[in-house]
Amino acid sequence: MIIDTHIHLDDSRYNDDLDEVLNRARKGGVERFIIPGADPKTLDRAISIAESNDDVYFAVGVHPYDMDSFYTLDFEKYVKHEKCVAIGECGLDYYRLEGSDEEKENEKLKQKEIFTLHVEVAKKYKKPLIVHIRDASRDSKEILLNTNASEVGGVLHCYNADEELLSLAKEGFYFGIGGVVTFKNAKKLLNVLPHIPIEKLLIETDGPYLTPTPHRGERNEPFYTTFIVEKISQLLDLKQQDLEKITTANAKELFSLA
Ligand SMILES: [Zn+2]
Ligand SMILES: [Zn+2]
């Protein structure tokens, strides 16, 4: 059994065949799905999917690309929902910064402020964090440490293989591994993977993005966790079944799933 800990089922690319996507995954051994919050405009759709499927959960948060909606998001209303399991995805993404150096610095400051506010919300409601980090490892780690985010812990989703982040395992953070691990150019991740404590490993697709080999170029979906698990178990020299058991237990522990 597998838990897809990061799957954007509220994305419009699943509108036409969501039930088939879920059923394919279930038949392939996926027993739970977590929809991270990213864009508040599709949050109500995420909730309705979670309400009509026992095995689907959701998180509430604002992706660094959508920061402005943070202030109008009514966290309290969502966080008290019985299927809400985490705060996020939130974090820092310096990959697409635009404009002059000064504009870039201002954008970074704003991202840091909103990320910090997410940590405060997570601590207030005692929910783990789903953290998105791209080209911003140092600042992200600093914020997580300075805000005592270890009180709630969380997952560094789509872990970027930066060794600097590995020490966060001691602070209650897990490492979400997805399709990138199957890519030919994923050398860095392949080298770092054995250094992640196995009890801190989680499986995710991040669908519809980051589709694993051999389906690259197509829409990603939770059924493809199979390819991710297969690859990781080879790398760690573990039986696929054992890896599934361990990562599923890890996800249940972090997100308090029954
Ligand atoms: Zn992300
Ligand atoms: Zn995501």
Side-chain angles (χ1 to χ4, degrees), residues 6 8 36 63 89 132 157 206 209:
H6 198 105
H8 295 277
H63 194 280
E89 57 183 295
H132 170 107
H157 112 83
D206 203 11
Y209 314 103

Short mmCIF file of all heavy atoms in Angstrom, two decimals, residues 6 8 36 63 89 132 157 206 209, ligand 2:
data_model
loop_
_atom_site.label_atom_id
_atom_site.label_comp_id
_atom_site.label_asym_id
_atom_site.label_seq_id
_atom_site.Cartn_x
_atom_site.Cartn_y
_atom_site.Cartn_z
N HIS A 6 1.26 14.03 -1.97
CA HIS A 6 1.22 15.34 -2.62
C HIS A 6 0.67 15.19 -4.03
O HIS A 6 1.39 14.87 -4.96
CB HIS A 6 2.64 15.93 -2.66
CG HIS A 6 2.68 17.41 -2.90
ND1 HIS A 6 2.97 18.32 -1.91
CD2 HIS A 6 2.47 18.14 -4.01
CE1 HIS A 6 2.94 19.55 -2.40
NE2 HIS A 6 2.65 19.47 -3.68
N HIS A 8 -2.17 17.10 -6.68
CA HIS A 8 -3.09 18.23 -6.91
C HIS A 8 -4.34 17.76 -7.66
O HIS A 8 -4.55 18.11 -8.81
CB HIS A 8 -2.38 19.33 -7.71
CG HIS A 8 -1.24 19.97 -6.98
ND1 HIS A 8 -1.43 20.99 -6.06
CD2 HIS A 8 0.09 19.74 -7.01
CE1 HIS A 8 -0.24 21.36 -5.57
NE2 HIS A 8 0.70 20.61 -6.12
N PRO A 36 -2.49 19.00 -1.55
CA PRO A 36 -1.93 20.18 -0.90
C PRO A 36 -2.71 21.42 -1.34
O PRO A 36 -3.21 21.47 -2.47
CB PRO A 36 -0.49 20.23 -1.43
CG PRO A 36 -0.56 19.54 -2.74
CD PRO A 36 -1.66 18.53 -2.68
N HIS A 63 0.73 28.71 -2.18
CA HIS A 63 2.01 28.49 -2.87
C HIS A 63 2.73 29.83 -3.03
O HIS A 63 2.08 30.86 -3.22
CB HIS A 63 1.70 27.89 -4.25
CG HIS A 63 2.89 27.31 -4.94
ND1 HIS A 63 3.79 28.11 -5.60
CD2 HIS A 63 3.30 26.03 -5.08
CE1 HIS A 63 4.73 27.31 -6.11
NE2 HIS A 63 4.46 26.05 -5.81
N GLU A 89 0.61 23.86 0.51
CA GLU A 89 2.03 24.02 0.51
C GLU A 89 2.40 25.47 0.59
O GLU A 89 1.77 26.35 0.00
CB GLU A 89 2.67 23.37 -0.72
CG GLU A 89 2.17 23.87 -2.08
CD GLU A 89 2.83 23.09 -3.23
OE1 GLU A 89 4.05 23.18 -3.42
OE2 GLU A 89 2.09 22.36 -3.90
N HIS A 132 7.36 23.79 0.36
CA HIS A 132 7.86 23.83 -1.02
C HIS A 132 9.13 24.70 -1.03
O HIS A 132 9.08 25.86 -0.65
CB HIS A 132 6.77 24.43 -1.92
CG HIS A 132 7.21 24.76 -3.31
ND1 HIS A 132 6.83 24.02 -4.41
CD2 HIS A 132 7.99 25.76 -3.79
CE1 HIS A 132 7.37 24.55 -5.51
NE2 HIS A 132 8.07 25.61 -5.16
N HIS A 157 8.47 18.81 0.60
CA HIS A 157 7.93 18.10 -0.55
C HIS A 157 8.82 18.32 -1.76
O HIS A 157 9.48 19.34 -1.87
CB HIS A 157 6.47 18.52 -0.77
CG HIS A 157 6.22 19.29 -2.01
ND1 HIS A 157 6.05 18.66 -3.23
CD2 HIS A 157 6.14 20.60 -2.25
CE1 HIS A 157 5.86 19.59 -4.15
NE2 HIS A 157 5.92 20.76 -3.59
N ASP A 206 3.15 14.71 -6.90
CA ASP A 206 3.05 16.11 -7.31
C ASP A 206 2.31 16.23 -8.65
O ASP A 206 2.52 17.17 -9.39
CB ASP A 206 4.44 16.79 -7.40
CG ASP A 206 4.34 18.31 -7.27
OD1 ASP A 206 3.26 18.82 -6.90
OD2 ASP A 206 5.34 19.00 -7.54
N TYR A 209 2.11 17.36 -12.29
CA TYR A 209 3.48 17.71 -12.71
C TYR A 209 4.45 16.54 -12.47
O TYR A 209 4.11 15.57 -11.82
CB TYR A 209 3.99 18.93 -11.92
CG TYR A 209 2.98 20.04 -11.84
CD1 TYR A 209 2.25 20.26 -10.67
CD2 TYR A 209 2.73 20.86 -12.95
CE1 TYR A 209 1.29 21.26 -10.61
CE2 TYR A 209 1.77 21.86 -12.88
CZ TYR A 209 1.06 22.05 -11.71
OH TYR A 209 0.11 23.03 -11.65
ZN ZN B 2 2.58 20.88 -5.31
#
